Amino acid sequence: MIIILKPNTNEMQINNLIEMLKTYGVTVASINGKHKNILGLVGDTSKIDIETVKAQTIVENIRRIQEPYKSSNRKFNPEDTIIDINGKTIGGNKLQIIAGPCSVESEEQIIETAIAIKEAGATMLRGGAFKPRTSPYAFQGLHADGIELLLKAKAVTGLPIVTEIMSIEHLDLFADVDIIQVGARNMQNFELLKALGHSDKPVLLKRGLANTLEELLMSAEYIMAGGNKNVILCERGIRTFETQTRNTLDISAVPLLKQLSHLPIIVDPSHATGLTSLVEPLSLASIVAGADALIIEVHNCPEKALSDGAQSLTPQQFSDVMAKIKPMAEYIGKEIS
Amino acid sequence: MIIILKPNTNEMQINNLIEMLKTYGVTVASINGKHKNILGLVGDTSKIDIETVKAQTIVENIRRIQEPYKSSNRKFNPEDTIIDINGKTIGGNKLQIIAGPCSVESEEQIIETAIAIKEAGATMLRGGAFKPRTSPYAFQGLHADGIELLLKAKAVTGLPIVTEIMSIEHLDLFADVDIIQVGARNMQNFELLKALGHSDKPVLLKRGLANTLEELLMSAEYIMAGGNKNVILCERGIRTFETQTRNTLDISAVPLLKQLSHLPIIVDPSHATGLTSLVEPLSLASIVAGADALIIEVHNCPEKALSDGAQSLTPQQFSDVMAKIKPMAEYIGKEIS
Amino acid sequence: MIIILKPNTNEMQINNLIEMLKTYGVTVASINGKHKNILGLVGDTSKIDIETVKAQTIVENIRRIQEPYKSSNRKFNPEDTIIDINGKTIGGNKLQIIAGPCSVESEEQIIETAIAIKEAGATMLRGGAFKPRTSPYAFQGLHADGIELLLKAKAVTGLPIVTEIMSIEHLDLFADVDIIQVGARNMQNFELLKALGHSDKPVLLKRGLANTLEELLMSAEYIMAGGNKNVILCERGIRTFETQTRNTLDISAVPLLKQLSHLPIIVDPSHATGLTSLVEPLSLASIVAGADALIIEVHNCPEKALSDGAQSLTPQQFSDVMAKIKPMAEYIGKEIS
Amino acid sequence: MIIILKPNTNEMQINNLIEMLKTYGVTVASINGKHKNILGLVGDTSKIDIETVKAQTIVENIRRIQEPYKSSNRKFNPEDTIIDINGKTIGGNKLQIIAGPCSVESEEQIIETAIAIKEAGATMLRGGAFKPRTSPYAFQGLHADGIELLLKAKAVTGLPIVTEIMSIEHLDLFADVDIIQVGARNMQNFELLKALGHSDKPVLLKRGLANTLEELLMSAEYIMAGGNKNVILCERGIRTFETQTRNTLDISAVPLLKQLSHLPIIVDPSHATGLTSLVEPLSLASIVAGADALIIEVHNCPEKALSDGAQSLTPQQFSDVMAKIKPMAEYIGKEIS
């Protein structure tokens, strides 16, 4: 940590600050220049309350050098985390293909879709029972009934299920869900993250619309700090000024998160742009960039979908995309299973 | 609503779509061009499920013309909403000045600060008991005790209190709070918004870091749809590429929200940039742009603040800012009381 | 300047780097920690080629502490720059109101508009002869004829004129122009900036759509490095994800640029949002935030404007806005003249 | 084109507007609703001056349906454009690998680098002679001498050369250059684009930092409108709030531009993030997403580079990346030659 002091700070003030900093057990070096005085801190600075230091009158600015995330930091955990999902694994040399509709709408819809995606090669089933919709007047999901239907689809196909949670109050309903998803809008719903930290369910944590990778890792940290190490990061597009796509897929997030963290990374090429025609190229790009899994929207009848129909693939389209994904996975040495 | 059809759509397909649309009770006009066919819908299109229409295979694109928000829309409610806060009002010709620390930290701190801000002219007290911090290792607030201390400060000074809620589970603790704040990170925590919709407490709804004004109004709509009409909108800076300020204050939001909606608008000049030196000019700018209230961070001793000390004014600095705010309010014909 | 070294760097490598850095005449302090080694540089680091240092294999990262701009930096030039424009001044306790059409279209149009804005209280005339249009098929301006017409309008009204340059080749045509404008799209057209640096004409430099304040100041630096100190900065809105306004006015830029630099600051409330209804509130906000001038689009007949008609005020609307601007300027102690 | 009229518009006003619109040779359909009146225009609306229409007092808003770009639009030119570069081709089933240093610095540097990249499999040489640097105090390039040195390197290796132009005045110096690059900061330097439109040199047009894909295509349109059809689009990262990478690579731009336009697309994975460790994954991702070429920074000695050393690969690193690129190109059926 580097502390830049204001000009015209006197020696006594500096010494007082140094003494205060030393109480945190760090080494402090003082560099005195004509215009600027700088303090360099070495050691474990993670215990230092950066807000308190920043608020000292003689402090002009602070530059952190160490990353603020620990449990999710690859420096402290060099080995890739591999998460077990009912016998399947996310991370390592596997590529999981999670597919399914935006919302669970009916028994027929979810089971038909589940069978179709399994046939095409998907390894897990997604579907929303609680839907975060911008408008209160839009379809909000089937709630408990939706989870019931997902479990039926799981019983029929054997596919593990992924579904989104929107409130701590509903946690009990997720007892048989295989992966609990935290949506982009809840990435910094810290109370929800804390509650999931006390669970042992794998959590698929989506990056917020305008959140940095460091903030994503800090949100992972909230879950991990509670004891739950089963966190899967998800890049799903960020908000930019571009208007042709719903969001902008930050493909660099995949290799960069792999460097910064040991956690597995998923890409959602459907929400990333909102355009079905881009699902195939973005899926392939994500795979070669290092993604551990893809999560793709597929609906047995997009024309009748109650949400996101326009960005959902039909089972046939999904099957066509899978025909490109499978050999690419094989080519780069990843197994879909 | 305008529906743009894909090229090479045949007449039968178009007629089927028109029939389907007419079931919503709207008038449909078809415009046929060489390259494009367009359907124009007039009437109450708010019941049309835009997602369903978008997912029809012959539909290329949809352009909405009517705003999707109703309860918060000035078109349907031309009169300014004026919200009663324990005898004081937000909206109309009043200017409320809400001040206080980022976090409630101790009885001494909150009461000292409350007395100081009241003396300087503030009309309400803010302070966080539940703190949404990016890092799980940072101070998270005093929770129930923090609310207790705020109520003590209210008892001492008579100032109504504003404090942030982070989870539905805590709602009971807010029974004596005057305004419940929903923070930027929870602007689209829809389950929380729905719960607040069933309360009758005034809700101060902060705009998310990367949310549009339409999305802010749709979140207001979530609260209002539940029956709670006491929503106060808050502009607190959006995230951009600029790095000198923590966020970028979107000053246009103030007059624009006044045009689009009848709800009162607050500006938070402290979070908007994170720089105390900008609080004064941004406060004055917000007032002349039409803000109904300001919410300013003040700490009795910023150097010892457990959060956001660097952007908190000292009581003396706040008093200096108030010395500029008061005559400006008077100049534009608003009363601080 | 702080240099963070990669882990596992050996002492010899560090010493070599320190020796290299000392050749720049700076003092280097080394701080050795368990995980990180840091070098702190004090002195005049402006001569250090940051790119070269960054590329050294043992360097992990560099944090600059001193601002890279000098001529425009208030630290080195504490006094406000006041620029003389044909007897009028920009900066200090004056408020200049620059008004006029987006494009010069005809003699009648520009002279009628010039007379009207002067009557309403404007102090300078703007009008585009060279128009940077997104589409090559849109009206591109009258070029040399446009400048001729502006000079006629100046002759009639006595108002100094401001007009945009798009290429060095046209510089001769600007001999009698009072202020040369560099548009947002050319803010980093460095060859153009260099050429203007060798002129002594006042330059109104608009901030680019997605440029930081530091980059704006670095572009000012390009002009000033050539000897031309007459630079006027202009905030005209930045690009964000918000879609209701054409751009987002960064109001904080005004007081912040005042702190960082001694150069005068103009705000363009017309381009900032593209909505005429926001010109008045944003003008008032800019004035109280410290702007030295406003530049407002006014057209004698917006319905017939060849560009930006929708964001142009009519003379009557401008006169109404001036009726609010004048007393506000007086209130804050600025003179419009 | 859809024109939304203001409420309370009377029939005469509407009829006047319709008559005016018909003079453009389009068909106008009027749709009358209770709250809104809409005009739908069909036919060739490209001649309609959208600004003029927008400025009519009875017009509330306009929604364009047709793309404003024509020459670059795939709809009107379904076949892929393939550009001949001295016998090599960009577009079609070829993958060109353009490599070289940010700046040309010396004969030894550019020739050594050129030989090294050719050996590793690059097919063209890049190098900057005119450098757009944020700071006027940074190295600005060798100018004419730099181009001389590039031509020497071309003579030695036979590699076609790509170098950036910053001002029309220098155009003569580019007579023997194979591809003229327009940098991101000049994407909307319309005078430069027009001048290049009158040349027949292939132009590599980089997307601006905060420009939309439509704006990129409109800038291509400026060049093509002058008669030069040899335009190559380049995605090089856009500016977002993410701070770990210099820019954010918009990978979706590749398949989307392929859909919208027939022009070839290049990706610059070096500038896109500024991190050498991401060049390999982003190169592979770009190839599978459909890029026709990559442009990669390589320096024979990055530690001594005068610009962008930190994002330049060494010849060895480039060779390692090529070892991944080559089989991937082969796998997807593209030939590097």
Side-chain angles (χ1 to χ4, degrees):
Chain A
M1 187 179 286
I2 298 295
I3 300 174
I4 301 144
L5 303 180
K6 288 186 185 156
N8 310 319
T9 305
N10 69 45
E11 211 171 322
M12 203 191 68
Q13 290 173 305
I14 298 178
N15 287 338
N16 287 346
L17 180 59
I18 290 176
E19 286 316 305
M20 188 266 255
L21 293 167
K22 282 186 175 165
T23 64
Y24 289 102
V26 297
T27 307
V28 184
S30 174
I31 309 166
N32 304 308
K34 224 183 298 178
H35 300 293
K36 294 269 182 189
N37 289 294
I38 298 166
L39 301 183
L41 277 62
V42 210
D44 182 5
T45 56
S46 67
K47 287 164 207 148
I48 297 181
D49 190 330
I50 205 164
E51 302 277 355
T52 307
V53 178
K54 225 181 203 166
Q56 303 308 308
T57 40
I58 65 168
V59 172
E60 184 172 296
N61 212 338
I62 292 184
R63 311 282 169 100
R64 223 180 35 215
I65 288 163
Q66 272 178 324
E67 296 88 3
Y69 43 91
K70 295 179 222 172
S71 304
S72 60
N73 196 328
R74 188 177 282 276
K75 277 191 193 148
F76 309 125
N77 310 271
E79 292 298 309
D80 277 357
T81 286
I82 295 176
I83 298 176
D84 182 83
I85 311 291
N86 226 340
K88 295 177 188 290
T89 52
I90 294 191
N93 69 337
K94 293 293 174 70
L95 178 71
Q96 297 299 338
I97 307 293
I98 308 167
C102 178
S103 306
V104 179
E105 294 160 10
S106 71
E107 181 164 344
E108 190 196 340
Q109 172 243 18
I110 191 66
I111 289 181
E112 244 183 46
T113 305
I115 291 171
I117 60 158
K118 188 184 179 184
E119 213 161 287
T123 55
M124 301 190 189
L125 174 66
R126 61 150 289 159
F130 294 90
K131 295 302 308 169
R133 303 298 297 276
T134 304
S135 167
Y137 311 120
F139 176 62
Q140 307 272 323
L142 296 180
H143 298 178
D145 292 347
I147 293 182
E148 277 309 303
L149 294 178
L150 278 170
L151 292 171
K152 279 195 186 170
K154 177 183 176 178
V156 170
T157 59
L159 297 176
I161 58 175
V162 183
T163 193
E164 179 168 354
I165 194 166
M166 285 178 63
S167 180
I168 307 173
E169 296 183 312
H170 307 140
L171 194 50
D172 289 347
L173 295 170
F174 287 71
D176 297 319
V177 164
D178 298 287
I179 302 180
I180 301 181
Q181 176 179 314
V182 174
R185 286 166 190 78
N186 279 315
M187 192 200 93
Q188 293 193 317
N189 181 341
F190 300 121
E191 296 298 315
L192 180 59
L193 300 179
K194 281 182 201 167
L196 293 172
H198 300 122
S199 154
D200 61 350
K201 286 273 178 211
V203 177
L204 192 166
L205 179 64
K206 288 195 155 189
R207 181 184 186 182
L209 282 172
N211 286 108
T212 62
L213 297 180
E214 187 173 298
E215 287 169 342
L216 174 61
L217 291 171
M218 290 312 287
S219 285
E221 208 73 15
Y222 260 96
I223 301 168
M224 299 175 89
N228 186 351
K229 304 299 183 196
N230 299 313
V231 179
I232 303 155
L233 306 171
C234 180
E235 163 62 30
R236 45 77 75 208
I238 54 174
R239 186 162 272 187
T240 67
F241 49 79
E242 177 58 60
T243 53
Q244 303 239 9
T245 48
R246 185 186 272 205
N247 297 293
T248 297
L249 180 67
D250 181 4
I251 187 83
S252 313
V254 179
L256 200 46
L257 285 172
K258 283 280 172 200
Q259 289 175 21
L260 301 173
S261 175
H262 52 90
L263 296 173
I265 324 288
I266 287 189
V267 172
D268 179 342
S270 300
H271 283 87
T273 73
L275 300 172
T276 52
S277 64
L278 298 186
V279 171
E280 180 185 303
L282 296 187
S283 292
L284 298 177
S286 300
I287 293 171
V288 303
D292 295 303
L294 298 174
I295 182 162
I296 298 176
E297 285 200 1
V298 181
H299 193 286
N300 65 331
C301 181
E303 295 212 7
K304 292 189 178 150
L306 297 179
S307 61
D308 278 352
Q311 77 186 31
S312 293
L313 300 180
T314 61
Q316 182 55 51
Q317 289 171 321
F318 176 64
S319 182
D320 294 345
V321 172
M322 284 302 294
K324 295 288 181 66
I325 286 178
K326 284 174 190 170
M328 183 61 82
E330 201 180 335
Y331 172 76
I332 65 156
K334 286 218 175 154
E335 193 190 347
I336 302 176
S337 80
Chain B
M1 187 181 286
I2 298 295
I3 301 175
I4 301 143
L5 302 180
K6 288 187 186 156
N8 310 319
T9 305
N10 69 46
E11 213 171 319
M12 203 191 69
Q13 291 174 305
I14 299 179
N15 288 337
N16 287 347
L17 181 59
I18 290 176
E19 287 315 307
M20 188 265 255
L21 292 167
K22 283 184 174 166
T23 63
Y24 289 103
V26 297
T27 306
V28 184
S30 174
I31 310 165
N32 305 306
K34 225 183 301 181
H35 301 294
K36 294 267 183 192
N37 289 294
I38 298 165
L39 300 183
L41 277 61
V42 209
D44 180 6
T45 56
S46 68
K47 286 164 206 149
I48 297 181
D49 191 329
I50 204 163
E51 302 275 356
T52 306
V53 179
K54 227 182 203 165
Q56 303 308 307
T57 40
I58 65 168
V59 173
E60 184 173 295
N61 212 338
I62 292 184
R63 310 283 169 101
R64 221 178 39 212
I65 287 162
Q66 271 179 325
E67 297 88 3
Y69 43 90
K70 294 178 223 174
S71 304
S72 59
N73 196 329
R74 187 177 283 277
K75 277 192 192 149
F76 308 124
N77 309 270
E79 292 298 308
D80 276 358
T81 286
I82 296 176
I83 297 175
D84 181 85
I85 311 291
N86 225 341
K88 294 177 187 291
T89 52
I90 295 192
N93 69 337
K94 293 294 175 72
L95 177 72
Q96 297 299 338
I97 307 294
I98 308 167
C102 178
S103 306
V104 179
E105 293 160 11
S106 70
E107 182 163 344
E108 189 196 340
Q109 172 243 19
I110 192 66
I111 289 181
E112 244 183 45
T113 305
I115 291 171
I117 61 158
K118 188 182 180 185
E119 213 160 288
T123 55
M124 300 192 189
L125 174 67
R126 60 151 289 160
F130 294 90
K131 296 302 308 169
R133 304 296 298 275
T134 305
S135 167
Y137 312 120
F139 176 62
Q140 307 272 324
L142 297 180
H143 298 180
D145 292 348
I147 293 183
E148 277 308 304
L149 295 178
L150 279 171
L151 293 172
K152 279 195 186 171
K154 177 183 175 177
V156 171
T157 59
L159 297 175
I161 57 175
V162 183
T163 193
E164 179 169 354
I165 193 166
M166 286 177 63
S167 180
I168 307 173
E169 297 183 311
H170 308 141
L171 194 50
D172 289 347
L173 295 170
F174 287 72
D176 297 320
V177 164
D178 298 287
I179 301 180
I180 301 181
Q181 176 178 316
V182 174
R185 285 166 191 77
N186 280 316
M187 190 200 94
Q188 293 193 318
N189 181 341
F190 300 119
E191 295 298 314
L192 179 59
L193 300 179
K194 281 182 200 167
L196 293 171
H198 299 122
S199 154
D200 61 350
K201 285 275 177 209
V203 177
L204 191 166
L205 179 64
K206 288 195 155 188
R207 181 184 186 182
L209 282 172
N211 287 107
T212 62
L213 297 179
E214 187 173 297
E215 287 169 342
L216 174 61
L217 291 171
M218 290 311 287
S219 286
E221 207 74 14
Y222 259 96
I223 301 168
M224 299 175 90
N228 185 350
K229 305 298 183 196
N230 299 313
V231 179
I232 304 153
L233 306 171
C234 180
E235 162 63 30
R236 43 77 75 208
I238 55 174
R239 185 163 272 186
T240 68
F241 50 79
E242 177 58 59
T243 54
Q244 303 239 8
T245 47
R246 186 187 272 203
N247 296 293
T248 296
L249 180 68
D250 181 4
I251 188 83
S252 313
V254 179
L256 200 47
L257 285 172
K258 282 280 172 200
Q259 289 175 21
L260 301 174
S261 176
H262 51 90
L263 296 172
I265 324 287
I266 287 190
V267 173
D268 179 342
S270 300
H271 283 88
T273 72
L275 300 172
T276 51
S277 63
L278 298 187
V279 171
E280 180 184 305
L282 296 188
S283 292
L284 298 177
S286 301
I287 293 170
V288 303
D292 295 302
L294 299 173
I295 182 162
I296 298 176
E297 285 200 1
V298 181
H299 193 286
N300 65 331
C301 181
E303 296 213 5
K304 290 188 179 153
L306 297 180
S307 62
D308 279 351
Q311 77 186 30
S312 293
L313 300 180
T314 60
Q316 182 55 51
Q317 289 171 322
F318 176 65
S319 181
D320 294 346
V321 172
M322 285 303 294
K324 296 288 181 66
I325 286 177
K326 284 174 190 170
M328 182 61 82
E330 200 179 339
Y331 173 76
I332 66 154
K334 286 219 174 153
E335 191 190 348
I336 301 176
S337 80
Chain C
M1 188 180 286
I2 298 297
I3 300 174
I4 301 144
L5 303 180
K6 288 188 184 155
N8 310 320
T9 305
N10 69 46
E11 212 171 321
M12 203 190 68
Q13 291 174 304
I14 299 179
N15 288 338
N16 286 347
L17 180 58
I18 291 176
E19 286 316 306
M20 188 265 255
L21 292 167
K22 282 185 174 166
T23 63
Y24 290 101
V26 297
T27 307
V28 184
S30 174
I31 310 166
N32 305 307
K34 225 184 299 180
H35 300 294
K36 294 269 183 191
N37 288 295
I38 297 166
L39 300 183
L41 276 62
V42 210
D44 182 5
T45 56
S46 68
K47 288 165 207 149
I48 297 182
D49 190 330
I50 205 163
E51 302 276 356
T52 307
V53 178
K54 226 181 203 165
Q56 304 307 308
T57 40
I58 65 168
V59 172
E60 185 172 296
N61 212 336
I62 292 185
R63 309 284 169 99
R64 222 179 36 214
I65 287 163
Q66 272 179 323
E67 296 88 2
Y69 43 90
K70 294 179 222 173
S71 304
S72 60
N73 196 329
R74 188 178 282 277
K75 277 192 193 150
F76 308 125
N77 310 271
E79 292 298 309
D80 276 358
T81 286
I82 295 176
I83 297 176
D84 181 85
I85 311 291
N86 225 341
K88 293 178 188 290
T89 53
I90 295 191
N93 70 336
K94 294 294 174 69
L95 177 72
Q96 297 299 338
I97 306 295
I98 308 168
C102 178
S103 306
V104 179
E105 293 160 10
S106 70
E107 181 163 344
E108 189 195 340
Q109 172 242 20
I110 192 67
I111 289 181
E112 244 184 46
T113 305
I115 291 170
I117 61 158
K118 187 182 180 186
E119 212 160 289
T123 55
M124 300 192 190
L125 174 66
R126 61 149 289 159
F130 294 90
K131 295 302 309 169
R133 303 298 297 276
T134 304
S135 167
Y137 312 120
F139 176 62
Q140 307 272 325
L142 296 181
H143 298 179
D145 292 348
I147 293 183
E148 277 309 303
L149 295 177
L150 278 170
L151 292 172
K152 279 195 185 170
K154 177 182 174 178
V156 171
T157 58
L159 296 177
I161 57 175
V162 183
T163 193
E164 179 168 354
I165 193 165
M166 285 178 64
S167 180
I168 307 172
E169 298 183 310
H170 307 141
L171 194 50
D172 290 347
L173 296 170
F174 288 71
D176 297 320
V177 165
D178 298 288
I179 301 180
I180 301 181
Q181 177 178 315
V182 174
R185 285 166 190 77
N186 280 314
M187 191 200 94
Q188 293 193 317
N189 181 342
F190 300 119
E191 295 298 315
L192 180 59
L193 300 179
K194 281 182 201 167
L196 293 171
H198 299 123
S199 153
D200 61 349
K201 285 274 176 210
V203 177
L204 191 166
L205 178 65
K206 287 194 156 189
R207 181 185 186 181
L209 282 172
N211 287 108
T212 62
L213 297 180
E214 188 173 297
E215 287 169 341
L216 174 61
L217 290 171
M218 291 310 289
S219 285
E221 208 73 15
Y222 259 97
I223 300 168
M224 299 175 89
N228 186 349
K229 304 299 183 197
N230 299 313
V231 179
I232 304 154
L233 306 171
C234 180
E235 163 63 30
R236 44 78 73 208
I238 54 174
R239 186 163 271 187
T240 68
F241 50 79
E242 177 58 59
T243 53
Q244 303 239 10
T245 47
R246 185 187 273 202
N247 297 293
T248 296
L249 180 67
D250 181 3
I251 187 83
S252 312
V254 179
L256 200 46
L257 285 172
K258 282 279 172 201
Q259 289 175 20
L260 301 173
S261 175
H262 52 89
L263 297 173
I265 324 287
I266 287 189
V267 172
D268 179 341
S270 299
H271 283 88
T273 73
L275 300 172
T276 51
S277 64
L278 298 187
V279 171
E280 180 185 304
L282 297 187
S283 291
L284 298 177
S286 301
I287 293 170
V288 303
D292 295 302
L294 298 174
I295 181 161
I296 298 176
E297 285 200 0
V298 181
H299 193 287
N300 65 332
C301 181
E303 295 213 7
K304 291 189 181 152
L306 297 180
S307 61
D308 278 353
Q311 77 186 30
S312 293
L313 301 180
T314 60
Q316 182 56 51
Q317 288 171 322
F318 176 65
S319 181
D320 294 346
V321 172
M322 285 303 295
K324 296 289 181 66
I325 286 178
K326 284 174 190 169
M328 182 61 81
E330 199 180 339
Y331 172 77
I332 66 155
K334 286 220 174 152
E335 191 190 348
I336 301 177
S337 81
Chain D
M1 187 180 286
I2 298 295
I3 300 175
I4 302 145
L5 302 179
K6 288 186 184 155
N8 310 319
T9 304
N10 68 46
E11 213 171 321
M12 203 191 69
Q13 290 173 305
I14 298 179
N15 288 337
N16 287 346
L17 180 58
I18 290 176
E19 287 315 307
M20 188 265 255
L21 292 167
K22 282 185 174 165
T23 63
Y24 289 102
V26 297
T27 307
V28 184
S30 174
I31 310 165
N32 305 306
K34 226 182 301 179
H35 301 293
K36 294 269 182 190
N37 288 295
I38 297 166
L39 301 183
L41 277 61
V42 211
D44 181 6
T45 56
S46 67
K47 287 164 207 150
I48 297 181
D49 191 330
I50 205 163
E51 303 277 356
T52 306
V53 179
K54 226 182 203 166
Q56 303 308 306
T57 40
I58 66 167
V59 172
E60 185 173 297
N61 212 338
I62 292 184
R63 310 284 169 100
R64 222 178 37 214
I65 288 163
Q66 273 179 323
E67 297 87 3
Y69 43 90
K70 295 178 221 172
S71 305
S72 61
N73 196 328
R74 188 178 282 276
K75 276 191 195 150
F76 308 125
N77 310 270
E79 292 298 309
D80 277 358
T81 286
I82 296 177
I83 297 176
D84 180 84
I85 311 291
N86 225 340
K88 294 177 188 291
T89 52
I90 295 191
N93 70 336
K94 293 293 174 68
L95 177 72
Q96 298 299 338
I97 306 294
I98 307 167
C102 178
S103 306
V104 179
E105 294 161 8
S106 69
E107 182 164 343
E108 188 195 342
Q109 172 242 19
I110 192 66
I111 289 182
E112 243 183 46
T113 305
I115 291 171
I117 61 158
K118 188 183 179 186
E119 212 161 288
T123 55
M124 300 191 189
L125 175 66
R126 61 151 288 159
F130 294 90
K131 296 303 309 169
R133 304 298 298 277
T134 304
S135 167
Y137 311 121
F139 176 62
Q140 307 273 324
L142 296 181
H143 299 179
D145 292 348
I147 293 183
E148 277 308 305
L149 294 178
L150 279 171
L151 292 172
K152 278 195 187 170
K154 178 183 175 178
V156 171
T157 58
L159 297 175
I161 56 175
V162 183
T163 194
E164 180 169 352
I165 194 166
M166 286 178 63
S167 181
I168 307 173
E169 297 183 310
H170 307 141
L171 194 51
D172 290 346
L173 295 171
F174 288 71
D176 297 320
V177 164
D178 298 287
I179 302 179
I180 301 181
Q181 177 178 314
V182 174
R185 285 166 189 78
N186 280 315
M187 191 200 92
Q188 293 192 318
N189 180 341
F190 299 120
E191 295 297 316
L192 180 59
L193 300 179
K194 281 182 202 168
L196 293 172
H198 299 122
S199 153
D200 62 349
K201 286 273 177 212
V203 177
L204 191 167
L205 179 64
K206 288 194 155 190
R207 181 184 186 182
L209 282 171
N211 287 107
T212 62
L213 297 180
E214 187 172 298
E215 288 169 341
L216 174 61
L217 290 171
M218 290 312 287
S219 286
E221 208 72 15
Y222 260 96
I223 301 168
M224 298 175 88
N228 185 351
K229 304 300 182 195
N230 299 314
V231 179
I232 304 155
L233 306 171
C234 180
E235 163 62 30
R236 45 76 75 207
I238 54 175
R239 186 163 272 187
T240 68
F241 50 78
E242 177 59 59
T243 53
Q244 304 239 7
T245 48
R246 186 186 272 205
N247 296 294
T248 297
L249 180 68
D250 180 3
I251 187 83
S252 313
V254 179
L256 201 46
L257 285 173
K258 283 278 171 200
Q259 289 175 22
L260 302 173
S261 175
H262 52 90
L263 296 173
I265 324 286
I266 287 189
V267 173
D268 179 341
S270 299
H271 283 87
T273 72
L275 300 172
T276 51
S277 64
L278 298 187
V279 171
E280 180 184 305
L282 296 187
S283 292
L284 299 177
S286 301
I287 293 171
V288 303
D292 295 302
L294 298 174
I295 181 162
I296 299 176
E297 285 200 0
V298 181
H299 193 287
N300 64 332
C301 181
E303 295 213 5
K304 291 188 179 151
L306 297 180
S307 61
D308 278 353
Q311 77 186 29
S312 294
L313 301 180
T314 61
Q316 182 55 51
Q317 288 171 323
F318 176 64
S319 181
D320 294 346
V321 171
M322 285 303 294
K324 296 288 181 68
I325 286 178
K326 285 174 190 170
M328 183 61 82
E330 199 179 337
Y331 173 77
I332 66 155
K334 286 220 175 151
E335 192 191 347
I336 302 177
S337 79

